[in-house]
Structure formats: structure tokens, C-alpha cells
Amino acid sequence: MKVGVLSFQGGVIEHLNHIKLLGHIGIEVKKEEDLNDIEAIILPGGESTTIGKLLKVTGLITPLKKKIKSGLPTWGTCAGMILLANEIEAQEEKYLEAMDIKVERNGFGTQIDSFKIRKGIKEVSDKNVELVFIRAPYITEVKETVEILCEVDNKIVAAKQKNIIVTAFHPELTDDLSFLSYFLKSTPGEI
């Protein structure tokens, strides 16, 4: 399977390495042509405002949005979750507006408030999964079409809707490949 990773900024190399470990091909996505051969895409963590600006400057925002809305399996981690949200708390500017969620940027605090925990996510693994939160957002509202996959401290940190999965945490910063495996095994258009 050819899996794209939006490659402007953030945890790009970590995602590409994990894709390779599972026997798939990782493709860096930086321009519209890079979308042609991929079967899924990961929007990595990083700084959502910077990535959002680069999506606009490169002209990638509209074709990427069309691909996602057409059913391209998509996984947004941390900043990727913010990029995919229909609404962002206290912010008028939106980016891909592909998922019926509202998010709070840096909801868990600043860089020094980063943390790790282990938690069970039954859809993903029968074991506890390590969750790494770095200046993490969380979901404050979901529409009825969104399935909540995980909560931490009564805050939604993972969800799915049709072909889109989002996580506030960074599985790519661990040795655990179960979340990526869950994403890649999902049927296109119906994660």
C-alpha cells in the first residue's frame, strides 16, 4: 500500500519509518501531483498554523480537501486533527474542514505540560497503547456521525468519521505500531 505523509513540518520521518516497518511504501506529499499515487494519507503532528499556511501557499489545500471528501483514508495526529476539524475553539480560520468536530488547540497545555500514558483502545489493540501528548489538542464537540475512540480525563482524544481518524496523541513517537496497523487495515472509505 502507498501511504502519503503530508511533509511540510512535524513528525514526518517517524510516520514514514513506521509505514516502512509494516511493509508499506511511504510517500512524502508536498505538492498536488504527490496525491495521485497514494491510497491513504497521514497528516502529522507539528504546528497547525504553519502547516495550514503551507497548504495554502503550495495550493495543496483544495485538492487535498477534495481527495479526503471523496473518501481517501486519512489520519490526522495532533496538528493533523486541528487541520481536519470543521471548527477550532477561539479561531475563525479553518483549514480542511473535513470532520464534524470542534477542537481546542493546546488543550492540555504548553510544551512543559506534555505527558505519556498507557490506555486501552479496544478498536485498535487488545493491549494498552502508549499515548504521547505534546502540546496536545482535544475535541470539545462531536456531531452524531462521529465515533469516539478514546477519552483521557473526560476529554476526547481520538475519534473517527467515515474515512477519517484523528488522534490528539502521537503513536509515531512510540514503538507501538498498532494504531498505524489499525488505520492501514481499514477499508478505504469506511474506516
Side-chain angles (χ1 to χ4, degrees):
M1 179 178 216
K2 292 182 179 178
V3 183
V5 178
L6 187 63
S7 298
F8 293 145
Q9 190 244 3
V12 175
I13 297 301
E14 293 83 357
H15 279 295
L16 291 169
N17 289 340
H18 277 198
I19 291 165
K20 186 176 180 182
L21 285 171
L22 286 179
H24 298 283
I25 299 165
I27 296 173
E28 291 188 47
V29 174
K30 295 181 180 181
K31 57 191 182 308
E32 184 174 355
E33 299 80 47
D34 298 332
L35 295 173
N36 294 335
D37 293 328
I38 61 173
E39 300 164 74
I41 191 164
I42 297 172
L43 310 181
E47 209 295 305
S48 60
T49 306
T50 300
I51 298 170
K53 284 180 183 173
L54 290 169
L55 278 171
K56 291 175 182 176
V57 166
T58 60
L60 191 56
I61 195 161
T62 300
L64 179 57
K65 190 175 191 174
K66 283 181 185 173
K67 287 280 249 186
I68 294 168
K69 294 212 177 209
S70 295
L72 180 69
T74 303
W75 175 20
T77 63
C78 197
M81 181 168 89
I82 296 166
L83 294 170
L84 290 163
N86 277 346
E87 293 183 73
I88 303 165
E89 297 276 359
Q91 181 175 317
E92 285 188 35
E93 185 175 25
K94 298 171 205 141
Y95 306 101
L96 296 166
E97 299 178 78
M99 191 171 184
D100 293 327
I101 58 174
K102 187 174 192 178
V103 299
E104 176 73 46
R105 295 179 76 227
N106 301 325
F108 285 99
T110 64
Q111 190 79 22
I112 61 170
D113 299 307
S114 300
F115 65 97
K116 288 191 261 187
I117 62 166
R118 296 190 71 77
K119 188 158 176 71
I121 305 174
K122 69 179 187 316
E123 294 85 355
V124 175
S125 176
D126 56 358
K127 300 175 184 170
N128 283 348
V129 179
E130 185 176 15
L131 310 180
V132 177
F133 293 85
I134 302 171
R135 285 187 349 196
Y138 60 81
I139 299 170
T140 59
E141 290 178 29
V142 298
K143 297 284 194 286
E144 61 281 347
T145 55
V146 176
E147 180 184 347
I148 297 168
L149 296 175
C150 182
E151 292 182 70
V152 171
D153 297 334
N154 296 314
K155 295 173 174 68
I156 303 166
V157 295
K160 68 179 180 175
Q161 181 181 26
K162 296 180 186 173
N163 56 305
I164 304 169
I165 295 174
V166 292
T167 58
F169 47 89
H170 296 267
E172 77 281 6
L173 298 180
T174 74
D175 293 329
D176 188 339
L177 300 176
S178 58
F179 215 102
L180 177 60
S181 181
Y182 166 70
F183 172 63
L184 296 179
K185 286 179 183 172
S186 301
T187 305
E190 275 228 17
I191 289 179

